[in-house]
Amino acid sequence: KDAKVRTGSQASKKSFLDAAPGSKIIHIASHGIFLPERPMESYLALSANPPRAGRLSANEILEVDLSRASLIVLSACDTGRVEISKGDEIIGLSRAFLHAGTNSLVASLWPLSDESAAVIIEKFYNNIRAGKSPAKSLGLAIRKVKADSKFAHPFYWAPFEVIGG
């Protein structure tokens, strides 16, 4: 009920950078682009004109104080994909959010089906509102979606993961 929803041109990189440091729960539903050859330049595509100006990269996320965020949900393709660097460091969007200070992150390991992702996320938040942990909430949501024959293939119900507490 207290959510500040930003859509269209209001869902901009500037809006995220202004609001994120004071937010407890952050949900981003956008396009996620993973660049395996340059994982720290992987980005979330937010609103901007020209569109390139709306790219919120992993490098930029590292500069944001997300220590007040108890949960960040990235309902976008490939946001949980990472690359392991030569020094065994794991780098990508999900790691950038964790390094920026969030306690828990929900991210995806591959491109999403908009339809099944919407159902999973709705059930996930219903479980969160009921007081369940992010991991329990996601597990219950996935089981419900998985039971629907329309979403029986793992592509539909298995892309999301919870990282952190």
Side-chain angles (χ1 to χ4, degrees):
K1 66 178 180 181
D2 297 329
K4 294 178 184 156
V5 179
R6 292 170 181 86
T7 61
S9 63
Q10 293 179 342
S12 67
K13 180 164 69 170
K14 180 182 180 339
S15 176
F16 172 83
L17 294 172
D18 289 346
S23 300
K24 287 188 67 175
I25 297 176
I26 299 168
H27 179 100
I28 300 174
S30 70
H31 293 291
I33 306 297
F34 179 69
L35 302 171
E37 66 284 354
R38 298 180 321 278
M40 293 310 290
E41 292 178 31
S42 298
Y43 62 91
L44 295 168
L46 303 177
S47 178
N49 191 6
R52 190 174 186 91
R55 292 181 177 180
L56 178 64
S57 72
N59 279 322
E60 291 170 308
I61 293 161
L62 287 173
E63 301 300 318
V64 181
D65 178 7
L66 297 174
S67 59
R68 292 198 52 191
S70 60
L71 174 64
I72 296 178
V73 177
L74 303 176
S75 186
C77 300
D78 296 323
T79 53
R81 288 186 57 195
V82 295
E83 187 69 26
I84 300 175
S85 72
K86 291 178 182 165
D88 290 337
E89 183 178 359
I90 299 172
I91 50 180
L93 281 168
S94 61
R95 292 300 175 193
F97 277 100
L98 293 170
H99 284 289
T102 188
N103 290 329
S104 261
L105 178 72
V106 175
S108 67
L109 296 170
W110 56 75
L112 301 173
S113 154
D114 289 342
E115 187 179 5
S116 65
V119 175
I120 289 170
I121 294 300
E122 179 181 1
K123 292 182 182 314
F124 170 79
Y125 280 118
N126 287 340
N127 294 326
I128 290 288
R129 279 190 289 278
K132 294 179 176 44
S133 71
K136 183 76 168 174
S137 294
L138 184 60
L140 291 169
I142 287 170
R143 280 194 277 292
K144 289 268 190 181
V145 170
K146 185 179 174 181
D148 183 337
S149 62
K150 179 168 58 172
F151 301 128
H153 192 279
F155 168 80
Y156 296 105
W157 54 262
F160 290 107
E161 65 177 347
V162 174
I163 306 168

